[in-house]
Amino acid sequence: MSDPAAVRRALRALFSPLGCPDPYPHYAVLREHGPVSRLPDGTVVVSRHADCDRVLRDPLFRVEDDAYLARTWPEGRDHLSVFSLMGEMVNQNSPHHERLRRLVGRAFTPRRVAGLRPAVEKLVDGLLDGLAERAAGGAPVDLMEHFALPLPITVIGELLGIPEEDRAWFAPRVQAVTSAIEQNLAGEALERADEATAELWDRLGALAARRQEDPRADLVSTLIAVREEDGDRLTRRELLANLVLLYSAGYETTSNLIGNGTAVLLDRPDLLARLRGEPERIDAWVEEMLRFDPPIQIASRWAGEDTELGGVAVAQGSQVVALLASANRDPARHGDPDVFRPDRAPGGSLTFGAGAHYCLGAALARLEAAIAFPRLLARFPSIAHAGTGAPRNRMTSLRGYAELPLLLS
C-alpha cells in the first residue's frame, strides 16, 4: 500500500543538502511505497530494478547532451568544464554515442586492459610496502589516501601514458571537476572546475601534441591515431574531453569500490576470514561488493517523448533519476538483498549501467579490485578500523569514503 508521507520523508532524506550517510533504508521505503516518485521540481525517481533497467536500456530515455543543454541551460556552454563534460561519450545520444564509443573503444580493448595486470600487481605491492611503513608501531593509516586513491590514479596514468612525474598533478584538478558535478555545476565549485578544466586541457593537449610527433604504446597515442575506414576520427574537443572522462571515471569508481568493500569486510569479521581462505574466488566477491554497496549510486536521464514508468505517466522532457543502488537491493531481483553473499549467481547488478551506455572501464575497475583485495589481506594478517571513517554524505552519483583509517599489522 502506498504511503505518500513516508515517500516524501525518504526523498527528503536522500536528497537533503545535509547528506545521507545510510541511504539503504530510504531506498527500501521507496521500493515499497513509491517505486516511481517525484521530487518537488518534477524529477521522476525510480527505485525498483525493472524500472531502473528500462531507463538505462530504452533509447527513449536520453542522457543530457548538447541539445538538452541548449534547451535547458544555454549559457552552460560558456563554462569550459560544462563544454568538456558535454563532449564526453557518456553525455552523447545515438548516433553520436555509438560513434565515440566505437572510436574510443578501439583503444580500450580487453586485451589492453588484461595487459595491465603485471603493472597493477607491481603497483599494488609497492603501495602495500608504503602502508606497512606507515603502520609500523601501531600508527593508524588512511586506506583512501595511501592505497585506494593512488592505485587507480596511477593505473589510469599508466594506461593513458601520463609521465610518472606528472600523475600527482592531475588528481586535484580532476577532483575539482567531480566536486562541481556533485554540487550541480553551480557557484564557486563550477568556477574551480572551469579553472581545473582549462589546466587539464592545456596539459593533455600538450601531451597529445608530443604523442602526435612521437607515438608510444599508450592510450593517448592510440586515440590520436584511431580512425574509421571513412576517415572519421576524434575532434580536439572529443579527444580532450574523453581523456578527462577516462581519468576521472578511471579512479573515482575504483577507489570507492576498494574503500566500500574494505568497510564491508571489516564490519563482518566472518567475511574477512572467509575471503582470506578463498582468494581464488575474488571475482565473485568483487561482484557482490559492486552490488551490495556500489560506488555509483544513481544515473540520470530525460524522457525523449511521453511515456510511463510503473504505470505512472512521464511527460516528454522530464528528468528521470534511476536509483541504481536501490535496484541492486530489490528483493524482486535478489534474494536476501540486504545480506552480503559472495556465492550469489553472477549478474543483475546495475552498478556499471546497462545497455548502450554500459561503462567502458568496468573491466579495468574489476581487474584492479581483484588484484588489490587478496594482496591487501595476504600482506596484513590483522586489519581493523582505527576510529570512524569519514563517508561522503551527499546524495550524488558517487558513494564512498573521504577517509578510512585502519590499523594494520
Side-chain angles (χ1 to χ4, degrees):
M1 180 181 296
S2 175
D3 186 340
V7 169
R8 288 195 296 272
R9 287 193 296 270
L11 290 174
R12 281 199 301 269
L14 285 171
F15 295 96
S16 167
L18 299 177
C20 187
D22 183 7
Y24 294 102
H26 306 300
Y27 292 153
V29 169
L30 293 181
R31 288 194 304 269
E32 179 68 21
H33 298 291
V36 182
S37 308
R38 279 191 171 86
L39 296 175
D41 66 0
T43 298
V44 177
V45 179
V46 294
S47 52
R48 289 180 179 171
H49 187 281
D51 293 323
C52 290
D53 189 66
R54 184 193 162 202
V55 168
L56 294 175
R57 294 180 186 275
D58 190 339
L60 182 151
F61 296 101
R62 302 170 176 270
V63 298
E64 297 167 3
D65 59 5
D66 274 327
Y68 180 86
L69 190 72
R71 187 176 72 253
T72 61
W73 188 28
E75 62 272 25
R77 284 176 63 93
D78 296 335
H79 296 274
L80 182 58
S81 59
V82 178
F83 181 70
S84 180
L85 286 168
M86 291 298 102
E88 297 175 356
M89 62 182 173
V90 296
N91 293 318
Q92 300 288 326
N93 290 295
S94 181
H96 306 295
H97 173 260
E98 289 87 346
R99 169 184 167 271
L100 282 177
R101 190 179 180 98
R102 189 165 56 246
L103 289 167
V104 176
R106 289 189 175 190
F108 213 81
T109 63
R111 181 178 179 181
R112 183 185 291 271
V113 172
L116 287 171
R117 176 175 285 276
V120 175
E121 291 173 342
K122 181 179 179 180
L123 173 60
V124 166
D125 290 341
L127 290 172
L128 292 176
D129 289 342
L131 286 181
E133 292 177 6
R134 291 182 173 86
V141 180
D142 181 8
L143 184 79
M144 302 307 296
E145 179 181 359
H146 299 297
F147 186 73
L149 279 169
L151 171 59
I153 287 174
T154 306
V155 170
I156 197 65
E158 182 78 16
L159 180 65
L160 293 175
I162 305 296
E164 187 173 351
E165 63 273 15
D166 291 346
R167 291 171 187 170
W169 179 92
F170 280 84
R173 289 157 180 84
V174 173
Q175 287 172 334
V177 176
T178 301
S179 178
I181 296 171
E182 292 183 346
Q183 298 180 53
N184 298 318
L185 297 173
E188 293 182 0
L190 179 58
E191 294 178 9
R192 289 192 294 269
D194 287 341
E195 295 173 0
T197 302
E199 294 176 348
L200 286 166
W201 275 36
D202 284 345
R203 184 69 66 96
L204 290 168
L207 177 62
R210 292 198 300 273
R211 292 296 182 262
Q212 183 81 45
E213 297 297 324
D214 181 21
R216 306 281 180 86
D218 59 40
L219 191 58
V220 173
S221 299
T222 305
L223 287 174
I224 293 170
V226 70
R227 62 172 67 234
E228 298 282 67
E229 292 180 0
D230 61 1
D232 184 26
R233 65 189 307 168
L234 295 172
T235 66
R236 182 176 186 274
R237 177 199 184 192
E238 291 167 345
L239 173 65
L240 297 179
N242 283 285
L243 287 175
V244 174
L245 166 66
L246 292 172
Y247 216 112
S248 58
Y251 86 86
E252 284 280 10
T253 300
T254 304
S255 64
N256 289 332
L257 167 58
I258 292 172
N260 294 356
T262 300
V264 169
L265 295 176
L266 295 182
D267 291 340
R268 289 276 306 276
D270 58 315
L271 291 176
L272 186 65
R274 179 178 167 184
L275 180 53
R276 288 187 188 278
E278 54 180 46
E280 72 282 354
R281 295 196 64 250
I282 185 58
D283 289 345
W285 284 75
V286 170
E287 289 307 304
E288 181 66 348
M289 291 173 184
L290 287 166
R291 183 202 69 84
F292 185 77
D293 193 14
I296 302 169
Q297 294 268 308
I298 69 175
S300 180
R301 300 287 191 270
W302 62 277
E305 58 185 70
D306 291 344
T307 186
E308 59 82 26
L309 282 165
V312 176
V314 178
Q316 180 181 13
S318 298
Q319 187 174 24
V320 180
V321 170
L323 300 177
L324 307 182
S326 176
N328 285 352
R329 293 205 187 186
D330 187 344
R333 180 71 180 188
H334 302 282
D336 297 323
D338 295 322
V339 177
F340 188 98
R341 281 183 18 205
D343 52 357
R344 293 181 186 275
S349 167
L350 295 181
T351 298
F352 286 122
H357 280 82
Y358 185 81
C359 179
L360 193 62
L364 180 58
R366 288 184 169 105
L367 173 70
E368 293 176 61
I371 292 172
F373 280 107
R375 277 173 150 75
L376 175 67
L377 270 56
R379 182 64 177 270
F380 300 106
S382 175
I383 304 176
H385 283 296
T388 303
R392 298 165 63 163
N393 288 336
R394 291 178 62 83
M395 182 57 203
T396 66
S397 60
L398 302 174
R399 173 174 167 82
Y401 286 87
E403 300 175 1
L404 189 59
L406 302 180
L407 296 174
L408 304 170
S409 62

